Amino acid sequence: MPSLVSSSSSAASALASLPQPLLHYAAPRWLPGGNLQTIWAALYARRFDGAAPVYRRERWPTPDGDFIDVDFVDAPADASASTPAPLLVLFHGLEGSSRSHYAEAFATFAASQGMAFAVPHFRGCSGELNLAPRAYHSGDFEEIGWILTRMRDQHAQKGGGPVLAAGVSLGGNALMRWASEAGETAAGVVRAVASVCAPLDLAAGGEAIGRGFNKLVYTRMFLNTMKPKALAKLAQFPGLFDRERLMAARNLHDFDNVFTAPLHGFRDVQDYWSRGSAKPHLASIRVPALIVNARNDPFIPARSLPGAGEVGAHVTLWKPAHGGHVGFPMGPPPGHVRGMPQQVGQWLRLHGGTLADAAGLPPGRE
């Protein structure tokens, strides 16, 4: 657990009243196994109490003449707030959006803490086909860097506080890839980062999702949306890839080999999975970073998860036994998925210094 050193008893008292991240998860008995915890959480568990988050959308032109859509929930107006509101940026997973179950749960957490919240959509994921002959991929760290830098600048211009960033699944790997590439400069953009259920070893994850039940259920679900998007891209740019090979793809390995890898400058799927994986680069991260992976995640073999000797001093590994893939349901039926965003969000606030700022204390340290 983090420790904070205070120069005054009043500041220590203020900190003691703040909610502390426990980094603990126990699956409900009525939802055993990684597949149930994954599927039920996405389809049936409660994401929020009351009304769904109401987003405000901005369209940002990209440096290459394309666009991305960003959904915001502004920080609640609070004239009594003593510090500027932090901004929590969430990068979604494969074929996700601001309406994914985890995104709405994170939005609810941010609102409860008086934070601003943003979900930048990867290209083609906001409901409208993007313009350029490209899409998005797990190692898209340059896009992450451009987005976070603009987020920092725009939030600061509005008088906001520091930026915290989290990424889920594909978005988590891309975020950690950026943090490792940015090194010391990352701290000038964000205070802390977190990944949730990220496939940090893309080859291991790609192989796992292409077998057995995973292939029948999850792979089919992804390809049902990814193939039509790819075909729409082919209509935009005839000859961009081989249509027959794409239609013959029955797993993510084949799809990435035909579409994702060549469109984004990789030689083939092996080159993409190798260069896009964040795991070999985690020791280069120089900002507080939390990496969360359930050991029963059906998408990600537990043996492929990074160990303590494969990360640097700035990285905290949390590997609960249960939770599934971006599941972590809690409570009696139908359950809810607010617990993981709350714990991850509080960890980011504490280690990014925003809870300490509110109490007049220095940032948390391991």
Side-chain angles (χ1 to χ4, degrees), residues 149-185:
T149 300
R150 176 160 175 169
M151 286 284 184
R152 175 202 63 190
D153 295 344
Q154 182 168 302
H155 192 59
Q157 289 170 3
K158 295 180 178 180
V163 176
L164 308 171
V168 172
S169 195
L170 175 149
N173 183 80
L175 177 62
M176 291 301 165
R177 230 10 225 103
W178 168 78
S180 64
E181 288 288 329
E184 299 287 352
T185 66

Side-chain angles (χ1 to χ4, degrees), residues 7-258:
S7 58
S8 71
S9 59
S10 61
S13 176
L15 181 68
S17 68
L18 296 171
Q20 298 296 304
L22 300 177
L23 294 186
H24 171 76
Y25 175 74
R29 291 185 178 181
W30 60 275
L31 271 182
N35 286 310
L36 271 179
Q37 290 158 19
T38 299
I39 296 169
W40 186 274
L43 297 180
Y44 305 115
R46 295 189 305 274
R47 311 164 181 198
F48 44 78
D49 287 324
V54 177
Y55 291 109
R56 172 180 59 82
R57 176 161 291 189
E58 293 183 8
R59 176 158 292 185
W60 291 0
T62 63
D64 62 348
D66 205 348
F67 70 88
I68 65 166
D69 288 324
V70 186
D71 283 354
F72 289 91
V73 179
D74 296 322
D78 185 358
S80 65
S82 59
T83 58
L87 169 65
L88 175 59
V89 181
L90 180 72
F91 293 96
H92 63 76
L94 183 65
E95 295 298 275
S97 74
S98 62
R99 289 302 175 192
S100 296
H101 66 287
Y102 51 82
E104 293 192 324
F106 266 103
T108 300
F109 163 78
S112 74
Q113 300 297 302
M115 304 171 69
F117 180 69
V119 181
H121 289 90
F122 290 115
R123 303 193 196 199
C125 290
S126 63
E128 186 173 334
L129 189 66
N130 66 303
L131 304 176
R134 59 156 294 175
Y136 65 103
H137 63 91
S138 294
D140 211 353
F141 63 85
E142 292 178 343
E143 188 95 316
I144 296 283
W146 171 74
I147 290 171
L148 286 175
T149 300
R150 176 160 175 169
M151 286 284 184
R152 175 202 63 190
D153 295 344
Q154 182 168 302
H155 192 59
Q157 289 170 3
K158 295 180 178 180
V163 176
L164 308 171
V168 172
S169 195
L170 175 149
N173 183 80
L175 177 62
M176 291 301 165
R177 230 10 225 103
W178 168 78
S180 64
E181 288 288 329
E184 299 287 352
T185 66
V189 182
V190 298
R191 287 277 192 94
V193 296
S195 69
V196 179
C197 298
L200 303 168
D201 180 338
L202 293 175
E207 292 168 4
I209 202 171
R211 296 193 300 261
F213 181 85
N214 289 349
K215 181 178 180 180
L216 291 173
V217 177
Y218 305 120
T219 295
R220 181 177 296 178
M221 175 190 70
F222 286 130
L223 291 181
N224 280 345
T225 59
M226 293 164 65
K227 283 187 175 182
K229 286 184 180 180
L231 292 176
K233 187 60 61 180
L234 185 62
Q236 275 183 317
F237 300 95
L240 191 61
F241 56 85
D242 187 323
R243 184 184 190 280
E244 297 308 315
R245 288 181 62 206
L246 179 97
M247 296 307 296
R250 294 292 178 265
N251 52 50
L252 296 187
H253 175 282
D254 294 344
F255 181 91
D256 284 346
N257 202 38
V258 175

